[in-house]
Amino acid sequence: MSSDLSPIDKAKFVAAKRAAQLVETGMRVGLGTGSTAAWLVRCLGEMVRDDGLSIKAVPTSTRTADLAREVGIEVISLDEAKWLDITIDGADEFDGQLNLIKGGGGALLQEKIVATASDQMVVIADAGKEVETLGAFPLPIEVIPFGWQTTQALVEETLVSMDVLGRETTLRMDGQKPFLTDEGNHILDLHVKRIGNARQLALVLNQMPGVVENGLFIDICDRVIIGFGDGRVEVRDINEGTVETGKLDFLESDNLFADLSD
């Protein structure tokens, strides 16, 4: 791996490398979406190539599926897998109770379906993703295109009665066009700044007509693996109440990772 990686990319890499150690031959594995999850897919691909690891993977987006196939991981659908041993994914924010904001990559619906169909969900993240209170990162919600502006107005009106600091919402764009999820839906980003009661907000948002799913992952994550730029790794298990620390060495040049530092 290139020594020119930024500290954040090094942190993502060591978190992904540590998480890959949880995966064993024969497992059915959910693969997340986003920059940190891409490191994981590459690490697993290396294990398939060099160590004979044999797994069946359920990706949470077409981007992840394409990358998994590229590095030699067998890809199946969730319907084929039925249930997963583990899902490993990134997060945009996590708090002390391992509640999350996800959806920065636009795959929150598939990510939540896959995570809740798993024996355990493990989040991999750099240390900068930890927050005292969720909400600084814009909260994504997936909405159907039909009447999306009406849904947006309803969301903004509802936020008035929620324990949040901001109520601005924006339609996520892809250039000059609205961003489309793999299901053909839109994403509204909620700039709430601070969420006082994440559980309540998640329930209220999902009751609104037009809202497909929200990016709050409450009581879903079992473990978080936090990477640091110097190679240190911290593993927190919310169920066991344990914290483990360690350090991983960086690899020298490896073509599996060559395009991830761009």
Side-chain angles (χ1 to χ4, degrees):
M1 185 181 68
S2 172
S3 60
D4 296 331
L5 288 179
S6 69
I8 288 180
D9 279 334
K10 289 179 180 178
K12 292 178 179 180
F13 169 73
V14 295
K17 191 73 172 177
R18 177 64 180 85
Q21 296 173 1
L22 302 174
V23 178
E24 301 175 358
T25 285
M27 280 188 170
R28 294 158 297 178
V29 182
L31 300 177
T33 296
S35 59
T36 311
W39 286 107
L40 170 76
V41 176
R42 294 285 184 169
C43 288
L44 292 176
E46 182 182 51
M47 293 167 67
V48 168
R49 183 194 66 187
D50 296 342
D51 304 327
L53 179 70
S54 177
I55 59 174
K56 297 181 186 296
V58 176
T60 54
S61 68
T62 55
R63 300 191 303 279
T64 298
D66 290 344
L67 179 59
R69 293 188 182 99
E70 179 185 321
V71 300
I73 298 172
E74 181 181 355
V75 171
I76 63 174
S77 71
L78 183 57
D79 287 334
E80 290 174 296
K82 295 184 172 57
W83 195 258
L84 304 174
D85 297 289
I86 189 172
T87 287
I88 306 174
D89 202 348
D92 299 303
E93 284 185 348
F94 68 91
D95 67 13
Q97 289 71 51
L98 304 195
N99 294 317
L100 322 169
I101 286 182
K102 290 181 50 56
L108 61 100
L109 176 59
Q110 289 192 18
E111 287 173 337
K112 190 173 283 190
I113 292 172
V114 169
T116 54
S118 306
D119 285 338
Q120 59 174 320
M121 182 198 185
V122 176
V123 160
I124 49 178
D126 60 89
K129 299 298 175 60
E130 183 173 12
V131 297
E132 184 175 341
T133 305
L134 298 175
F137 189 92
L139 173 64
I141 61 174
E142 185 162 340
V143 301
I144 66 170
F146 176 81
W148 72 264
Q149 290 175 308
T150 301
T151 303
Q152 180 182 31
L154 180 60
V155 169
E156 291 177 345
E157 180 181 345
T158 301
L159 289 176
V160 173
S161 62
M162 295 288 100
D163 186 5
V164 298
L165 291 183
R167 298 191 297 272
E168 178 189 1
T169 66
T170 55
L171 178 68
R172 188 177 299 184
M173 302 297 291
D174 182 10
Q176 299 300 311
K177 300 178 181 179
F179 174 87
L180 292 180
T181 68
D182 281 354
E183 288 75 34
N185 295 320
H186 294 331
I187 295 285
L188 292 177
D189 289 308
L190 281 51
H191 304 270
V192 293
K193 301 179 182 177
R194 179 186 179 278
I195 302 172
N197 190 331
R199 187 183 307 276
Q200 178 191 45
L201 181 59
L203 290 172
V204 169
L205 287 172
N206 276 10
Q207 290 175 351
M208 294 183 187
V211 175
V212 180
E213 189 52 82
N214 70 84
L216 286 166
F217 284 51
I218 310 297
D219 298 333
I220 295 176
C221 178
D222 298 289
R223 271 188 275 187
V224 62
I225 300 178
I226 307 166
F228 297 83
D230 61 359
R232 288 182 296 122
V233 179
E234 182 177 299
V235 183
R236 299 182 195 169
D237 190 312
I238 194 70
N239 300 313
E240 300 294 333
T242 57
V243 178
E244 300 176 8
T245 58
K247 191 168 185 178
L248 297 178
D249 294 328
F250 295 112
L251 300 177
E252 293 303 321
S253 179
D254 189 317
N255 59 12
L256 279 178
F257 301 91
D259 63 342
L260 288 180
S261 59
D262 295 338

